[in-house]
Structure formats: C-alpha cells, structure tokens
Amino acid sequence: MNATPRKVLVTGIGATTPLAGDSAGTWEAMLAGRSGVRPLDREWAAELPVRIAATVAVEPADVLPRPLARRLDRSAQFALIAAREAWADAGFTGPAGEDNLVDPDRLGAVIASGIGGVTTLLDQYDVLRERGARRVSPHTVPMLMPNSPAANVGLEVGARAGVHTPVSACASGAEAIGYAVEMIRTGRAEVVIAGGTEAAIHPLPIAAFASMMAMSKNNDEPERASRPYDTARDGFVLGEGSGVVVLESAEHAERRGARAYCEVVGQGLSADSHHIAQPEPSGRGVAAAIQNLLDAGDLDVSQLVHVNAHATSTPQGDVAEIKALRKVLGDVVDGVAISATKSMTGHLLGGAGGIETVATVQALYHRTAPPTVNVDELDPEVDADIVRGEPRRLPSTGTLVALNNSFGFGGHNVVLALRTL
Amino acid sequence: MAATKEEIIEGLAEIVNEIAGIPAEEVTEEKSFTDDLDVDSLSMVEVVVAAEERFDVKIPDDDVKNLKTVGDAVSYITSHQG
C-alpha cells in the first residue's frame, strides 16, 4: 500500500449511448427514466429469437467524416466520438503537445471492448466469400484488432506514455479505467483518457448470446425488456456505444486550472474462478473485489451513498451482486442508493464500464442517483435499497463515495470507487 | 471501349474522393497519392482495387509501388486496360 498515492481526478467525460449522442443528453435521459431499447427492424433480425437491442441514439456516420469512419470499426467510431467529447470537456483544444496543456510523453490512452471489431470481421468474411480475396479491405486487421479503439483514440490525442487494452468481457471498460488510474498513481502518466466501447449488434453475437439463454426475449415490449431486480427479468438486452473519462493527477489538473468532477479513489479486483460464464451464486468473487477495495484503506465506508450496479437483468447475476454487497458492507447497504442504469441503456458489454463510470461521475457531481426503470415487482431476494422509477437526491452536503461495479464472463470482477471533491 | 485520359482522371478523382475525402477537383495528374492526397499505403490498396474494377485492368502488387502520382496511374491504366 502506498502511503501517499497520487490523487487521481476526473476532469472530462464523454459518451455516445442508446440514450443520446453525448454525456449530458444521456444523463438527462436517465433522470427522465427513458429506455434506449428498440425493436431491431433489420432484415437479418427477422429469424432471430431476440429482435430487440439498445442501438445508439445518434449514428456515428452522422458525426464523423466519411473517410475517417470507413477505416474504423463501429466500436472505434463510438470510442472516438466519446473521447473527443471527454477531451474537449477536460479543456484540451487539440492533440497533446499542440496546445501545451499536456506533454504527449505524459499522456496515456486505455480503451477497452469486450468483443473487439466483430462486425468488421464478419462483414469482411462476407466480402471474402462473395467477392474474393482481392476485395477484402486492407483496413480489416487494424479495424478488427481489439486494441483498435485505444490505438485510434491514442492517435487522436497524441498519447505516448502508453496505449493499452485490458480485455475482460463485460468488465473491460471498468478495467480500462482502473488501469488508467494505476498509470497515474504509479507516475507513468499525468493524464490518461480511458473508457470502454462496444459495437456487437450483429446477428452472430445476438444468436450466440441467445443460445446461452442470456438474453431477454421480450420482443413485444422492447422498453420493458431490461428490468434488473424485477421478478419477471429474463436476461440482458444488448446495447452499443461508448463512455470515456479523462483522468488526471491532481497536481497536473491544478497546474492548468482544470475543472474536476470528482476523484477516483481506487479499485477492487478479483476473479470468481467458478465457471466460464455463470456468476458465482453466493457473490463470493464480487465480495472479494469489494473487500480488496476496502482493504486498500483509501476510502471511508461511512461515506458510501450510491452504487451503480452491474445488474444486467439476469436472474442469477443481479441477486449475487446484492448478496456480495450485503456480505461485505452489512448494514451499510441500507443507506446506499443502488441504481441499475442498464434498465435504460441495455448492456453495452465492454462499453458498460465506460458509460456507467460516466453516470457515476455525474451522480456524484449532481448529487443525484439515477433511477432503475421497470422494477414493477422487486425480487424478494434483492435485500437492498434500489432507486426505483424516479431519480433520488443524494445528501447535499458532505463527502460522498460511490461505487461502479462491472463483472465479466470469465469471472472478472472490477469495482471502481469514486468520491466527491 | 478503352477509357480516355480525361475519363481515367475523373474516375480516379471519384475514387480518391470516396476513400480519402479529397475534393475531386484537387485530384490532378501532378499530385502524389501519399504526399498530396492523404492516401496512405493501406488506402492505396483500396484505390488500386477500385481502379482495377472500374477500368478493367489488372495492377499487380509489384507495380503498385511505381504509381506515385495520379499521372503515373493514368499512364499505367491507359497502357494496360483491356
């Protein structure tokens, strides 16, 4: 344990989500309890068991110039859009080195996705079969490689301290932010742009997740399909988009007079070592991650008021997470406002940790917990204070702590802790 | 029927516009693909494949490196088109 770890601040946020094309619009839609889940009216969806998804509210083709967009996988397009917003929000006006606000050698980029450039891979396979090898795009590999969003964001901002892509399925986005925090804490970088992205709304991933019995089949009521903690929940709804934050050492932020939203206090990590895709039902692994976070000694648990839960709307996972919180935090859980924003955004897989960290930053900054929609009948096994229907005000004074949980197939558990300034 | 020099320049301009976003009127014979038209080595492969299809010509990989300017490509296509 480092006795005097460098303090890490969030100085910029950006997002493109099923709710809006930016972070402010996404937050506004969350407070209004809107759902981003829609019918998939594409021809290829007609024969699938699942015909709903949380597609982005603003198509990237409407935002990015065509020559740029055509050489980026959709996941990198989302990441670039979110990164540009976060970068500008942090007060930077151009790539590192050009506006003299940050040294490129002290700037990092850590952007993750769970699945990588799956649509590029599958589309180019179609090209290969239908039109031959000569027509396969020379951009295929740089587009489909999982580190492509990180590399493209790194190129955009001029990051030279390191560009990284931790991959841990649906925990990837949160793991990326945790990795970025460590880059700053250990002195490798002063500023790191970090987050998660995903673009996997394609017949193959949908068919594959559906085969695992992991997805909601509530095709008739798309807006009601993602319903964490409700007794009628029947699986997650696939979403797409990206959420990105700019993290910065407190010294660096102060030196350039940057506005900061909150602090990232630390992270807790663990692995279930239980099953490749099933959550450990008692919540043992998640509890270990929370315990590791507390053991690091950086936060005061009495200040914990909010959790942006992983809660994907699967029967097992939602309950295991609550059990884990209860196991480690005991009665503290009674005073914690728990929100499952996936009820509105769907599950962005590797993008989830990104947009949910952005939502957690906004919750602390505005001292408001976003609602969980579609909880008509709370599962009696969910022994916690779920923010249902309407947003809830958090204490208007004092230091507040919030957690953002993300877990992934493979048994990866990531808990990020944020604190008001 | 073989394309005229003007038709080839016009066709290449459309291709470069589609791939690199450079306005078609800026795609003239003396321009270098890499230095003037924002066509890197990967995008050059796209330009070549699109040109092959459009002008019914085969441009082997070994010959691509000799196509530095739009004029080089025009000459190559003029003398090789079917």
Side-chain angles (χ1 to χ4, degrees):
Chain A
M1 197 174 101
N2 190 340
T4 54
R6 279 153 50 94
K7 191 168 169 177
V8 178
L9 304 179
V10 179
T11 55
I13 54 174
T16 183
T17 74
L19 297 174
D22 62 9
S23 60
T26 298
W27 179 244
E28 201 177 304
M30 280 183 182
L31 295 185
R34 284 212 293 276
S35 169
V37 183
R38 305 169 181 89
L40 267 176
D41 50 12
R42 307 280 295 276
E43 199 183 320
W44 53 252
E47 300 302 318
L48 292 173
V50 173
R51 298 182 296 281
I52 51 173
T55 47
V56 284
V58 177
E59 269 300 313
D62 296 340
V63 182
L64 297 175
R66 196 188 48 195
L68 176 62
R70 67 195 302 282
R71 54 196 302 168
L72 296 176
D73 179 76
R74 193 170 167 85
S75 62
Q77 294 175 4
F78 295 149
L80 194 62
I81 291 166
R84 283 179 171 182
E85 184 197 344
W87 193 243
D89 187 50
F92 298 110
T93 57
E98 282 186 18
D99 68 1
N100 293 321
L101 292 174
V102 56
D103 175 357
D105 291 331
R106 303 288 295 149
L107 170 66
V110 191
I111 309 282
S113 86
I115 300 194
V118 65
T119 55
T120 294
L121 177 67
L122 294 167
D123 289 349
Q124 290 298 316
Y125 186 55
D126 289 344
V127 170
L128 174 66
R129 284 186 308 175
E130 290 161 18
R131 302 169 69 191
R134 184 71 170 159
R135 299 297 304 199
V136 171
S137 169
H139 301 294
T140 303
V141 170
M143 285 170 74
L144 71 82
M145 58 193 196
N147 54 314
S148 185
N152 279 289
V153 168
L155 283 169
E156 170 86 5
V157 298
R160 297 184 191 166
V163 172
H164 305 281
T165 305
V167 175
S168 49
C170 306
S172 302
E175 191 165 344
I177 292 167
Y179 190 99
V181 169
E182 289 309 306
M183 284 180 78
I184 296 173
R185 283 191 156 191
T186 55
R188 280 183 61 201
E190 294 293 344
V191 179
V192 183
I193 187 162
T197 187
E198 201 77 70
I201 299 178
H202 177 286
L204 183 77
I206 291 177
F209 280 124
S211 289
M212 297 177 80
M213 314 298 280
M215 298 182 87
S216 171
K217 296 186 176 69
N218 195 350
N219 294 313
D220 297 333
E221 298 178 293
E223 299 192 347
R224 311 272 291 145
S226 186
R227 44 195 318 127
Y229 308 128
D230 184 82
T231 48
R233 66 189 185 277
D234 68 335
F236 76 87
V237 174
L238 185 58
E240 62 175 2
S242 175
V244 170
V245 293
V246 173
L247 302 175
E248 187 162 359
S249 73
E251 298 90 329
H252 194 273
E254 191 180 344
R255 207 154 54 230
R256 70 181 185 93
R259 172 270 332 263
Y261 289 100
C262 64
E263 178 187 359
V264 185
V265 196
Q267 60 182 317
L269 305 172
S270 76
D272 281 357
S273 191
H274 166 73
H275 185 273
I276 192 65
Q278 295 295 328
E280 199 285 321
S282 76
R284 165 177 54 76
V286 173
I290 301 169
Q291 191 62 57
N292 290 338
L293 170 71
L294 299 184
D295 289 349
D298 296 321
L299 66 85
D300 175 353
V301 79
S302 73
Q303 294 172 335
L304 179 63
V305 292
H306 172 56
V307 174
N308 188 307
H310 183 64
T312 62
S313 185
T314 57
Q316 271 204 349
D318 293 9
V319 169
E321 181 180 11
I322 297 295
K323 283 182 182 166
L325 287 165
R326 185 60 78 179
K327 187 180 290 188
V328 181
L329 300 168
D331 293 345
V332 169
V333 174
D334 294 330
V336 176
I338 296 177
S339 306
T341 48
K342 287 186 182 77
S343 61
M344 298 173 281
T345 63
H347 185 5
L348 275 68
L349 311 179
I355 67 164
E356 286 156 25
T357 296
V358 170
T360 309
V361 168
Q362 289 167 314
L364 284 181
Y365 190 68
H366 300 292
R367 292 179 177 255
T368 303
T372 307
V373 300
N374 295 329
V375 190
D376 294 341
E377 191 185 331
L378 186 67
D379 183 334
E381 282 205 82
V382 175
D383 176 21
D385 182 9
I386 308 300
V387 181
R388 294 166 66 175
E390 299 286 318
R392 185 180 315 163
R393 291 293 299 171
L394 297 171
S396 57
T397 56
T399 303
L400 309 182
V401 168
L403 305 182
N404 175 25
N405 290 347
S406 291
F407 317 129
F409 281 172
H412 314 276
N413 305 306
V414 180
V415 178
L416 297 174
L418 291 82
R419 181 163 60 201
T420 54
L421 296 173
Chain B
M1 201 179 93
T4 65
K5 183 176 166 184
E6 287 68 31
E7 286 167 346
I8 294 170
I9 294 176
E10 192 186 324
L12 287 172
E14 283 176 23
I15 290 167
V16 170
N17 174 257
E18 169 68 24
I19 289 166
I22 302 290
E25 61 270 21
E26 291 179 24
V27 182
T28 49
E29 281 189 84
E30 75 285 3
K31 294 284 173 64
S32 155
F33 285 107
T34 29
D35 299 340
D36 302 321
L37 300 175
D38 214 16
V39 176
D40 65 13
S41 60
L42 295 184
S43 296
M44 190 62 195
V45 177
E46 289 186 286
V47 170
V48 165
V49 171
E52 284 184 335
E53 195 156 272
R54 182 154 182 155
F55 302 113
D56 189 24
V57 61
K58 282 275 166 280
I59 310 177
D61 293 348
D62 286 345
D63 290 344
V64 172
K65 62 179 182 300
N66 299 322
L67 308 181
K68 307 274 190 226
T69 65
V70 174
D72 294 341
V74 172
S75 307
Y76 190 95
I77 292 165
T78 304
S79 56
H80 290 83
Q81 61 186 342

